[in-house]
Amino acid sequence: MAHSLELAATKLQLDIHPSKINNLLSGVREQLNQSLMRYNENFEAVVLAYFNETLVGSKAPILISLPYVSVDVKASLLLFRPIIDKPLEGVVNKVGMDHLGLLVNGAFNASIAMDDTDGAFQSQWSDQPEGAAGLVCATPTMHRIQEGSTVRFIVSARREIDQLMSLQGKMETRDTGNVEYLNNHGSDRRRRSKDSPRKKHKHIQDSAAEDSPRKSAKTKRKRDSLISDAEEAATPSSADRKKKRRK
């Protein structure tokens, strides 16, 4: 989670309604409250909290043609800025046939497709009592994920729609999965390597390349042997020549 949380000291310019002119800080807090849990393009992050808010200067100029006053504010902001290819943790709130649904920080939706688990997990649905559906790691089978499990995953994408952020993740490394299992057993989950089919194919090709000279030599020796046998059969022996002379 340390990769996603950031504390930033900022200076903001806020437009305050004239009704707050006698208590500008109250108007400032009202504006800041409206920005909480929303994606902010200026920070490229979601504002989780603010504190140490103070006014800068003693003037609040009126905006031309607008019924607001502009004030400068200093504040410390707690930002949620998940980084692509960095780990995050979330609590599973849904187990689907082809994906996991999670809540990060109790507020942000995240999903992990089954295709993004590198084939290490399998859905477990059949003959399961209600609420017991989940994912089971192929090896070892003790590594299970179900509703309520805290899962560590790698952020693969993030989306911001209408100031709301959602995440997409993957579990393709040994240090991802059920956090409780990882803490108790370490990152010992054995993975199917994505390169294994290609490596296996390359190994077969290499073996074939190594065997081909031997096969060629063996074939040549066999061919020479057959030619020699045919020549011997076609050449009359000395006994046959003597019989022909007597006749």
Side-chain angles (χ1 to χ4, degrees):
M1 297 299 292
H3 294 294
S4 62
L5 298 179
E6 181 180 334
L7 187 61
T10 62
K11 183 178 180 180
L12 308 170
Q13 189 175 65
L14 302 176
D15 300 332
I16 308 300
H17 194 273
S19 63
K20 304 293 183 180
I21 197 71
N22 291 328
N23 190 350
L24 288 177
L25 268 181
S26 175
V28 166
R29 294 185 182 110
E30 187 176 286
Q31 289 286 324
L32 292 175
N33 287 339
Q34 293 178 5
S35 68
L36 293 179
M37 307 305 294
R38 298 284 181 175
Y39 180 78
N40 189 305
E41 292 183 355
N42 295 326
F43 302 117
E44 296 184 344
V46 175
V47 181
L48 297 180
Y50 66 88
F51 46 94
N52 298 334
E53 64 278 10
T54 57
L55 295 173
V56 178
S58 57
K59 296 181 180 181
I62 298 175
L63 299 177
I64 298 175
S65 74
L66 292 175
Y68 298 101
V69 293
S70 178
V71 297
D72 293 328
V73 179
K74 284 184 178 180
S76 297
L77 304 180
L78 179 62
L79 304 175
F80 176 63
R81 185 187 286 128
I83 302 173
I84 304 298
D85 293 330
K86 294 294 184 181
L88 266 186
E89 292 181 7
V91 178
V92 177
N93 62 357
K94 180 180 180 180
V95 179
M97 290 293 292
D98 57 356
H99 77 287
L100 279 178
L102 306 96
L103 272 183
V104 177
N105 286 338
F108 302 99
N109 288 319
S111 64
I112 302 173
M114 285 292 295
D115 291 342
D116 292 327
T117 65
D118 197 20
F121 287 94
Q122 299 174 352
S123 296
Q124 189 178 65
W125 283 81
S126 59
D127 301 327
Q128 292 296 309
E130 187 176 355
L135 302 184
V136 179
C137 186
T139 304
T141 55
M142 295 181 296
H143 194 166
R144 297 171 179 264
I145 295 175
Q146 56 190 20
E147 288 188 18
S149 299
T150 300
V151 169
R152 183 180 303 138
F153 64 96
I154 303 298
V155 179
S156 58
R158 69 184 203 185
R159 299 180 179 87
E160 300 87 24
I161 302 175
D162 294 333
Q163 295 184 303
L164 299 178
M165 177 185 285
S166 61
L167 303 170
Q168 186 173 338
K170 56 187 177 181
M171 295 189 301
E172 297 180 339
T173 57
R174 294 176 179 271
D175 57 349
T176 56
N178 189 316
V179 172
E180 182 179 2
Y181 175 86
L182 296 175
N183 289 340
N184 292 333
H185 300 277
S187 303
D188 61 350
R189 185 164 84 252
R190 291 185 288 277
R191 289 286 191 174
R192 173 184 58 81
S193 172
K194 287 185 175 181
D195 295 332
S196 58
R198 279 179 283 183
K199 288 181 179 179
K200 183 177 180 181
H201 181 66
K202 185 177 184 302
H203 174 71
I204 293 173
Q205 287 182 331
D206 293 343
S207 298
E210 290 176 1
D211 292 341
S212 58
R214 301 178 205 162
K215 290 182 178 178
S216 298
K218 185 176 180 181
T219 302
K220 186 176 182 302
R221 288 195 299 270
K222 186 175 182 180
R223 185 176 62 250
D224 293 344
S225 176
L226 292 173
I227 292 172
S228 177
D229 292 343
E231 289 177 346
E232 289 179 2
T235 303
S237 63
S238 56
D240 292 336
R241 285 195 297 268
K242 289 180 180 179
K243 287 180 182 181
K244 285 181 179 180
R245 288 173 186 171
R246 290 173 185 174
K247 290 180 180 180

